[in-house]
Amino acid sequence: QVQLVESGGGLVQAGGSLRLSCAASGRTFSNYAVGWFRQAPGKERELVTAISKSGDSKYYADSVKGRFTISRDNAKNTVYLQMNSLNTEDTAVYSCAAASAGWGSRRQNDYDYWGQGTQVTVSS
């Protein structure tokens, strides 16, 4: 079992920044690739960014490319999501998920463990 806990969400003005953290406990975290998903009101959950087990490979959705940065510190069992130049369309519940096989999948079923999510609200 892997337990994932997100933190760092909140209310921020457009143009501002937030850093989300996904802290893991349980099994060896470096054995899992991680994805950050988000779900806005009335919309389907979507993959925003993902990082491989080693951290060498990263994926970004076009909507966040150049503004968001994913990173991981396996020694601290934590994945980070730095979000800059936020806009109102980034408002959503952000959840991290861990996958034991592959990395970067957009399919939610490919992820073995999920956090509870953290709300990010961007005001205009």
Side-chain angles (χ1 to χ4, degrees):
Q1 287 284 346
V2 174
Q3 292 78 39
L4 302 175
V5 178
E6 302 95 336
S7 61
L11 174 64
V12 64
Q13 287 190 332
S17 299
L18 283 174
R19 188 175 83 154
L20 306 184
S21 298
C22 173
S25 61
R27 295 182 177 177
T28 305
F29 190 47
S30 58
N31 290 339
Y32 295 86
V34 174
W36 279 101
F37 287 78
R38 69 183 180 187
Q39 186 167 24
K43 295 187 178 181
E44 294 186 354
R45 184 182 285 179
E46 62 174 351
L47 178 67
V48 174
T49 180
I51 190 166
S52 61
K53 297 175 184 179
S54 65
D56 289 343
S57 298
K58 302 174 183 180
Y59 161 84
Y60 295 97
D62 288 343
S63 59
V64 305
K65 206 171 289 183
R67 300 187 299 121
F68 289 12
T69 302
I70 191 172
S71 61
R72 69 187 299 163
D73 185 340
N74 285 337
K76 295 184 178 180
N77 292 340
T78 303
V79 170
Y80 304 98
L81 178 57
Q82 178 67 42
M83 305 186 296
N84 298 329
S85 301
L86 287 162
N87 58 60
T88 56
E89 295 183 349
D90 296 317
T91 294
V93 175
Y94 285 72
S95 301
C96 62
S100 59
W103 79 278
S105 173
R106 295 180 180 85
R107 298 189 306 178
Q108 297 177 48
N109 287 343
D110 287 341
Y111 293 82
D112 304 292
Y113 303 102
W114 289 81
Q116 82 289 351
T118 185
Q119 176 70 47
V120 171
T121 303
V122 183
S123 64
S124 58

